[in-house]
Amino acid sequence: MTRVHLGVFYTGVGSGYVWSDPANADHTAIETYLSVARTMERGLFDAFFLGEGLRVRENRGRVLDTDVVGRPDAITQLSVLAGATTRLGLVATQNATYNFPADLARRLSTLDHLSAGRAGWNVVTTDNAWTGENFRRGGWLAHERRYERATQFVEAAKAIWAATGPVERHTDLVDLRVTPTLPASRQGRPVLFQAGDSPGGRDLAARHADVVFSANRTYEKARAYADDLTERLAGHGRSRDSLRILPGTSVVLGDTDAEATERAEWLRQQQLTARQAIGFLEQYWNTDLSAYDADGPLPDIEPAEGELDPSRGTLSIADRTGKLERVRAWRQLAADKNLSIRGLVLEVQPRGGSFVGTPARIADEWARYVRDRVVDGFILGPSHLPGSVDEVVDRLVPELQERGVYRTEYEGTTLREHLDLPAQSSK
Amino acid sequence: MTLHLALETDGGGAHPAAWRLASVSSPGHVREVVRAAEAAGFALVTFADSPLPTPAGRLESVGRAAFVSTATSRVGLAPAVPTATTEPFHVAAQLASLDHASHGRAAWVVTGSTAEELATVGTDGPDGEAAEVVEVVRALWDSWEDDAVIRDAATGRYLDADKVHHVDFVGRHFTVKGPLITPRPPQGRPVVLADAALDVDADILLVSDHVRPARPGLVFAEVEVVLDAGTESAVSRLTDLDAVTPWASDRTRYVGAPEGLVSLLLELSEAVDGVRLHPAVLAVDLPVLVEHVLPALDLHPQRETLRATLGLPRPVNRFISGGVR
């Protein structure tokens, strides 16, 4: 069935959440989690999605102070929500580098049983030694082997979930001997999400994922991504129907398109304070720029030597090299367009992109996306809690329902059923 | 003397045959047992755990504790978590999250691991690691000062970076940088329980022989109980259970009428601060405890946080106690 599946990527870190707005709840309070989860159930959402970052972001050796920060352990928090909700899917991002497969498989399986078949695991990898400093086995995995480890990890977890007897693995990347403690859950096993966009990540998705949390939001990119994945899936004997593609995005609504555009512009300003703009450049300059005015011209000094420090936890590998050329290009751009520091950062800062407009316009657009099968839904990142979620449930969901591309009740009870995924075989 | 009582809630009960009696691993069962314990006045409940498949169907302990956190409001929640089979950083975040979700009722029963348990994660678990794991977990709980989040819109600062600290832990076996991803828990540090035989600096030491160790901390005696229930005597119940699977352990075991257990507990209250009860079969022994044993005892009242119930002070954060700032 063609329809829009929705999830919320609950705020954890980052500049997207406008903490300075007094209308916003404390994103770390359990009451906020509970109220957002209940609103999502009211809106018949598929999944509550928790991200993960295993080291607090820093800027030049100090904790980054400009953005929200403070996250729970995802599986623990979702186990709390399992006790307070009845339908909502509960998806934990968990790292395949800094966990033990048998331990993580059992914790995810527990969540799946506590929620009667609503658990999901978003498989991510980390290669960076900086995050590894928080772990006994810190920094042990070479960058080029992270997806090899992740693949073996996922295969071990799947074997544990399907097994009735001992599972044993002894490779240089995965070492375990375990007999599963839990039977299959109501949905068989946790639903597997995958978020990496590199070729290694796409291949892991094609081989093992039930859902991809994609970075490709615009129609053209989404179409190219879906085509690429369809081809990769075929290589593993799978059809496009066995996988859901859910890009991350956000929504800015207005009574008119003009009002929505105005709100989106206001929001972008809110999401980039002077301190955040300076902090963004400091990543590249690797030196204290606090004396510069964010509304003035770019720093007149040159960046310090050395490649980019990964301590924001947000820079892709590709973005960590070639910074001097990038800075030169930015100077040119700022000169051409007469941009201040803040103006430049607004132009060049990577961001997911939002859907901006009236509920009717966005509903039309989303209906086209799913009818053309370029995506199967979206995972929304809120700028406001509970406001952003309330707004989608109250204004956008009814428009989607009117177009016949959104459920009017939960037909099933498990996350696998919500996502219309094929029933889980025992293998 | 006033006493604290803890209840071990794992599965069908402490007797190895208790698992056969009912669908005891279901989430609903876990919730009902914990709610009954809270209503009866237990200070805390513990959730035993192991990654091994016997007994079958056991859910992981932190998950169980988290699951019941919003269905309860006064009882302490103490999952057993081993120090060797997961990362200390994850243990710290899991228990901090449980403390936030329960508004200050989290505790940790520190456990060691057998060789078979260690094999599940492919490690041989170096000796003496438990004490280091507890030390670094506590340091991580302190890594955010209580007032680190300032939300100062005027300066664009969500937090005060001087109040979130690297812990820079260097042990004999591993290092941990910090800070934790989770803000400081409501109790400052969740309550740590450990068997006195484990060489761990615990808030509550668990002893099997009722002798107070020469170390600081509250002392709880471990007592297994099999009680007369209805027309069935405790002795015949135990005989029947043992016929299925024998119950071997080195803990004190009380088998008999509830009145005798009351006398034993009153006696113990002169020697120790609390008792952790291990009922043979929860479905049978817990109702007898609730009806005939707890009402006859002078228990410390449950308070808002577990530390408050236990009379333990909220720890001063190590990163400010030196008066550096």
Side-chain angles (χ1 to χ4, degrees):
Chain A
M1 188 192 305
T2 302
R3 63 180 171 192
V4 176
H5 298 275
L6 288 183
V8 165
F9 189 103
Y10 189 92
T11 302
V13 297
S15 59
Y17 190 68
V18 185
W19 57 262
S20 56
D21 191 325
N24 262 343
D26 174 3
H27 76 289
T28 63
I30 189 70
E31 287 74 18
T32 310
Y33 282 85
L34 291 169
S35 100
V36 168
R38 288 176 182 137
T39 302
M40 289 173 64
E41 278 197 332
R42 180 165 64 81
L44 307 172
F45 278 45
D46 289 59
F48 187 103
F49 194 102
L50 275 181
E52 182 195 60
L54 292 173
R55 185 154 172 188
V56 173
R57 295 178 185 183
E58 295 180 4
N59 186 21
R60 293 180 304 112
R62 278 161 55 86
V63 168
L64 180 70
D65 61 14
T66 54
D67 298 354
V68 288
V69 54
R71 274 177 162 153
D73 173 75
I75 295 178
T76 306
Q77 193 81 345
L78 294 174
S79 299
V80 175
L81 298 184
T85 55
T86 60
R87 287 291 183 274
L88 191 59
L90 304 167
V91 183
T93 302
Q94 293 283 295
N95 202 288
T97 308
Y98 299 118
N99 277 292
F100 298 109
D103 178 55
L104 183 60
R106 181 162 177 261
R107 285 191 284 126
L108 287 163
S109 191
T110 294
L111 176 64
D112 210 13
H113 281 276
L114 289 171
S115 62
R118 295 186 281 134
W121 171 26
N122 179 36
V123 185
V124 295
T125 64
T126 307
D127 65 312
N128 104 41
W130 180 77
T131 300
E133 285 178 5
N134 281 334
F135 297 94
R136 271 195 272 233
R137 302 188 68 193
W140 63 285
L141 187 63
H143 174 70
E144 59 277 11
R145 298 199 73 191
R146 65 199 171 122
Y147 276 108
E148 206 184 324
R149 154 85 173 179
T151 302
Q152 290 189 25
F153 192 122
V154 168
E155 286 169 358
K158 279 182 154 177
I160 291 168
W161 291 329
T164 50
V167 174
E168 203 157 338
R169 300 284 155 112
H170 301 287
T171 74
D172 64 332
L173 293 176
V174 168
D175 187 353
L176 59 89
R177 187 174 71 245
V178 67
T179 303
T181 67
L182 289 164
S185 76
R186 194 179 284 186
Q187 64 173 351
R189 58 155 173 82
V191 172
L192 293 182
F193 286 59
Q194 203 283 327
D197 206 27
S198 67
R202 289 184 182 205
D203 212 57
L204 177 63
R207 209 189 287 195
H208 288 298
D210 302 302
V211 183
V212 285
F213 177 23
S214 134
N216 302 288
R217 180 197 69 84
T218 62
Y219 186 90
E220 291 314 319
K221 278 178 113 175
R223 155 147 277 166
Y225 180 72
D227 290 346
D228 178 68
L229 265 189
T230 304
E231 205 168 295
R232 287 174 195 265
L233 284 164
H236 295 283
R238 299 178 63 192
S239 75
R240 167 75 177 81
D241 279 340
S242 67
L243 185 82
R244 297 287 157 269
I245 301 176
L246 307 178
T249 187
S250 57
V251 165
V252 184
L253 298 175
D255 290 337
T256 63
D257 288 336
E259 188 200 309
T261 305
E262 199 175 303
R263 267 187 86 191
E265 189 46 42
W266 173 84
L267 194 58
R268 284 199 74 187
Q269 300 288 341
Q270 297 298 306
Q271 289 167 331
L272 189 71
T273 63
R275 197 175 172 88
Q276 281 165 329
I278 296 291
F280 180 85
L281 286 198
E282 283 179 343
Q283 289 180 94
Y284 292 84
W285 261 256
N286 199 20
T287 189
D288 180 2
L289 300 177
S290 59
Y292 290 87
D293 177 3
D295 294 313
L298 263 57
D300 44 15
I301 56 171
E302 286 306 309
E305 288 300 314
E307 284 305 339
L308 280 179
D309 156 8
S311 64
R312 283 293 188 89
T314 52
L315 292 165
S316 69
I317 298 286
D319 286 339
R320 288 180 210 161
T321 55
K323 76 172 185 183
L324 293 177
E325 296 81 82
R326 185 165 303 130
V327 168
R328 265 196 294 280
W330 288 350
R331 285 198 189 284
Q332 192 59 51
L333 181 66
D336 292 349
K337 292 193 168 184
N338 193 25
L339 297 172
S340 65
I341 289 176
R342 196 205 295 253
L344 175 80
V345 176
L346 280 171
E347 292 265 329
V348 302
Q349 188 180 46
R351 48 180 59 243
S354 304
F355 287 92
V356 178
T358 61
R361 171 187 290 278
I362 294 175
D364 283 339
E365 208 172 345
W366 284 7
R368 172 172 169 248
Y369 272 69
V370 297
R371 286 191 178 120
D372 294 355
R373 292 305 304 277
V374 304
V375 307
D376 299 296
F378 301 93
I379 297 181
L380 308 177
S383 61
H384 290 70
L385 287 174
S388 300
V389 182
D390 286 341
E391 207 174 48
V392 170
V393 170
D394 294 334
R395 303 188 62 189
L396 185 50
V397 163
E399 295 283 345
L400 293 167
Q401 287 169 328
E402 219 167 86
R403 287 159 179 76
V405 291
Y406 198 83
R407 65 170 62 93
T408 52
E409 60 180 349
Y410 286 114
E411 297 91 351
T413 60
T414 69
L415 176 56
R416 180 165 288 278
E417 288 166 343
H418 298 338
L419 289 163
D420 299 324
L421 285 165
Q424 182 55 35
S425 73
S426 61
K427 291 280 168 270
Chain B
M1 292 278 284
T2 316
L3 192 69
H4 296 294
L5 276 188
L7 179 73
E8 172 50 49
T9 63
D10 190 37
H15 195 288
W19 287 83
R20 305 188 169 214
L21 299 183
S23 156
V24 292
S25 58
S26 80
H29 173 85
V30 173
R31 178 152 50 194
E32 287 325 301
V33 167
V34 175
R35 290 176 75 136
E38 174 172 86
F42 282 94
L44 71 155
V45 293
T46 60
F47 303 85
D49 199 18
S50 164
L52 299 183
T54 312
R58 178 192 258 155
L59 299 165
E60 188 270 338
S61 58
V62 178
R64 275 182 277 160
F67 180 75
V68 301
S69 62
T70 59
T72 52
S73 59
R74 309 292 272 188
V75 72
L77 305 170
V81 183
T83 55
T85 55
T86 186
E87 286 280 355
F89 193 85
H90 293 321
V91 175
Q94 288 164 14
L95 293 164
S97 302
L98 179 63
D99 206 45
H100 281 286
S102 64
H103 296 293
R105 294 182 288 125
W108 172 20
V109 183
V110 178
T111 57
S113 297
T114 64
E116 203 185 343
E117 289 170 340
L118 293 172
T120 66
V121 296
T123 170
D124 53 6
D127 289 340
E129 212 183 57
E132 287 191 348
V133 171
V134 172
E135 192 185 333
V136 73
V137 166
R138 283 190 170 131
L140 287 165
W141 287 335
D142 278 352
S143 61
W144 293 52
E145 294 182 31
D146 293 319
D147 53 354
V149 174
I150 53 173
R151 289 190 186 82
D152 184 12
T155 59
R157 291 184 311 153
Y158 176 73
L159 56 74
D160 181 345
D162 289 336
K163 295 186 174 182
V164 182
H165 305 272
H166 291 134
V167 301
D168 286 319
F169 178 82
V170 179
R172 283 180 301 151
H173 305 291
F174 60 89
T175 61
V176 175
K177 183 73 182 177
L180 195 61
I181 52 171
T182 314
R184 194 164 192 247
Q187 294 186 98
R189 298 176 209 147
V191 175
V192 174
L193 297 86
D195 191 296
L198 271 184
D199 187 22
V200 160
D201 172 22
D203 300 298
I204 297 177
L205 295 166
L206 302 167
V207 298
S208 296
D209 54 7
H210 315 163
V211 179
R212 183 176 282 274
R215 284 154 60 187
L218 298 174
V219 176
F220 277 32
E222 302 266 44
V223 177
E224 296 169 352
V225 296
V226 192
L227 298 171
D228 293 348
T231 55
E232 246 194 310
S233 81
V235 174
S236 80
R237 285 184 53 221
L238 184 58
T239 306
D240 290 350
L241 289 163
D242 279 350
V244 180
T245 318
W247 188 15
S249 97
D250 54 5
R251 293 180 182 131
T252 300
R253 183 178 301 165
Y254 175 83
V255 183
E259 297 74 25
L261 180 60
V262 171
S263 305
L264 173 65
L265 293 173
L266 288 174
E267 197 182 307
L268 283 174
S269 72
E270 301 295 329
V272 293
D273 306 296
V275 175
R276 175 161 72 151
L277 298 176
H278 299 258
V281 179
L282 283 164
V284 179
D285 293 295
L286 181 56
V288 181
L289 287 169
V290 168
E291 199 173 335
H292 299 292
V293 177
L294 272 74
L297 298 170
D298 180 17
L299 297 177
H300 292 283
Q302 295 161 329
R303 300 193 189 280
E304 211 157 299
T305 70
L306 180 57
R307 279 187 176 275
T309 298
L310 295 168
L312 294 171
R314 190 171 188 278
V316 174
N317 193 317
R318 74 197 60 204
F319 292 102
I320 53 174
S321 56
V324 180
R325 320 165 9 96

